[in-house]
């Protein structure tokens, strides 16, 4: 197959997909496409980049190895079509916190509110900027400022979608960070009580229980949480107290693999306040401590 000759002509999506199928899985073939993307012939360059945007996710690692070259080309490129295709390739890549080019981030930020830029370039710049900024709260705050400014403009459907999706991702990112802080606060509270220890003992029974963190006093558990899904706290109680809690609150559930009479699951963000949850955790600690503390002989 004479790849260069084929890409130098006007081609359509069926040919592009066949070219992507030919290149996929072969670093040598993908490298050939990239070398043709650098061609001085605009048709060849655009078709090569277009083909690369149709490579499957299995080729992501190979494309990411070319990231710096792609960014260098993007920053010096004046052709709108090539910039759009390069951004399409870059927007889908994963960016580690220690592998960020500030010149590329600055480029993306500058395009978000540039009304002279085509909608596609602005959209792809938003997506790429989020991928880069997500590791740093201060960069996310800066991105949010740019997104807020967009709301003063008349936006295309594509830009509205990019704005909405990115705002949603930022909100979920904030929730996950709050959740991490909250689980640490909860853990610190439990460990602040005298002689409390922690273990993750249930993974040996089933892999799905690997993330269950259990707190003990005198080698007996009094509460546990799922650190990967910190949406509830399960506490030890007494049968009478379990009944009272169920009568007074709706955001309670049956405990995971525990006695319904002696354990209860308290769902967070419901009608059980944080103070009540901490009080019930303390009560669970007191119940177990009282039960298993050796009595002194008189």
């Amino acid at each position: 197959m004479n790849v260069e000759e084929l890409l130098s002509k006007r081609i359509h999506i069926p040919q592009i997909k066949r070219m992507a199928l030919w290149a996929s899985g072969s670093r040598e073939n993908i490298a050939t496409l990239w070398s043709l993307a650098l061609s001085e012939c605009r048709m060849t360059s655009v078709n090569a980049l277009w083909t690369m945007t149709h490579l499957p996710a299995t080729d992501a690692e190979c494309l990411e190895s070319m990231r710096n070259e792609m960014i260098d080309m993007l920053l010096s490129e004046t052709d709108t079509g090539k910039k759009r295709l390069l951004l399409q390739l870059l927007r889908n890549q994963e960016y580690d916190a220690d592998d960020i080019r500030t010149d590329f981030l600055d480029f993306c930020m500058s395009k978000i509110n540039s009304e002279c830029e085509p909608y596609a370039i602005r959209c792809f710049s938003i997506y790429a900027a989020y991928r880069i900024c997500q590791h740093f709260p201060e960069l996310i705050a800066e991105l949010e400022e740019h997104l807020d400014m967009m709301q003063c403009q008349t936006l295309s459907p594509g830009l509205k979608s990019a704005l909405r999706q990115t705002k949603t991702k930022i909100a979920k990112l904030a929730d996950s960070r709050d959740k991490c802080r909250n689980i640490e606060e909860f853990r610190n509270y439990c460990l602040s009580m005298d002689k409390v220890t922690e273990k993750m003992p249930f993974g040996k029974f089933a892999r799905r229980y690997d993330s269950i963190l259990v707190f003990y006093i005198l080698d007996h558990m009094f509460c546990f949480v799922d650190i990967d899904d910190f949406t509830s706290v399960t506490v030890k109680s007494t049968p009478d107290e379990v009944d009272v809690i169920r009568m007074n609150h709706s955001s309670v559930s049956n405990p995971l693999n525990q006695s319904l009479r002696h354990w209860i699951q308290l769902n967070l963000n419901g009608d059980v306040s944080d103070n009540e949850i901490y009080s019930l955790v303390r009560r669970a600690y007191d119940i177990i401590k009282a039960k298993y503390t050796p009595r002194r002989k008189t």
Side-chain angles (χ1 to χ4, degrees), residues 44-274:
T44 301
S45 178
V46 168
N47 284 336
L49 289 170
W50 190 14
T51 302
M52 292 175 74
T53 65
H54 282 79
L55 291 171
T58 50
D59 294 313
E61 184 179 348
C62 182
L63 291 175
E64 287 176 7
S65 70
M66 302 173 176
R67 177 186 297 159
N68 283 329
E69 294 172 79
M70 291 181 186
I71 293 174
D72 289 341
M73 180 177 177
L74 173 66
L75 297 182
S76 61
E77 188 57 65
T78 57
D79 186 287
T80 299
K82 293 183 188 180
K83 287 195 291 184
R84 176 178 58 80
L85 291 166
L86 286 163
L87 276 168
Q88 189 172 349
L89 287 166
L90 291 164
R91 63 157 280 195
N92 292 322
Q93 297 188 12
E94 296 295 334
Y95 296 83
D96 295 330
D98 57 352
D99 186 26
I100 291 173
R101 282 185 54 169
T102 55
D103 53 355
F104 177 47
L105 177 58
D106 290 342
F107 173 91
C108 292
M109 292 290 203
S110 70
K111 302 304 178 185
I112 291 174
N113 282 289
S114 178
E115 295 185 75
C116 63
E117 292 287 351
Y119 294 145
I121 287 180
R122 295 178 66 187
C123 287
F124 292 155
S125 293
I126 292 170
Y127 293 132
Y130 173 77
R131 292 261 185 169
I132 298 169
C133 293
Q134 63 180 320
H135 303 291
F136 303 97
E138 62 275 18
L139 292 182
I140 282 291
E142 183 180 346
L143 176 58
E144 282 192 284
E145 290 179 5
H146 285 276
L147 297 179
D148 289 341
M149 289 168 59
M150 288 179 65
Q151 299 180 62
C152 302
Q153 304 173 14
T154 301
L155 303 178
S156 70
L159 277 171
K160 287 180 181 178
S161 177
L163 176 62
R164 181 175 62 254
Q165 290 182 50
T166 307
K167 282 279 195 180
T168 300
K169 289 178 181 178
I170 290 173
K172 289 181 179 179
L173 186 65
D175 287 343
S176 67
R177 283 176 175 152
D178 288 342
K179 187 177 292 184
C180 289
R181 286 195 293 269
N182 290 338
I183 186 64
E184 282 303 313
E185 289 174 7
F186 181 82
R187 177 174 174 268
N188 290 338
Y189 173 78
C190 291
L191 294 177
S192 70
M193 291 183 277
D194 188 39
K195 297 181 180 178
V196 169
T197 57
E198 60 181 347
K199 300 177 187 176
M200 301 181 78
F202 298 146
K204 61 185 177 184
F205 301 113
R207 183 172 296 178
R208 65 181 182 275
Y209 298 144
D210 276 347
S211 58
I212 304 297
L213 178 63
V214 183
F215 296 94
Y216 296 80
I217 174 63
L218 300 175
D219 292 325
H220 292 274
M221 62 184 192
F222 65 91
C223 80
F224 58 86
V225 297
D226 186 337
I227 62 173
D228 285 346
D229 182 26
F230 187 52
T231 55
S232 65
V233 177
T234 301
V235 297
K236 180 79 172 182
S237 193
T238 66
D240 290 342
E241 290 175 358
V242 166
D243 290 340
V244 171
I245 295 168
R246 288 188 180 279
M247 284 190 295
N248 292 335
H249 300 284
S250 60
S251 57
V252 295
S253 305
N254 292 334
L256 175 69
N257 298 334
Q258 302 296 328
S259 165
L260 300 182
R261 298 185 68 243
H262 295 90
W263 290 85
I264 189 165
Q265 180 176 294
L266 312 169
N267 299 321
L268 305 180
N269 302 317
D271 64 347
V272 186
S273 70
D274 289 353

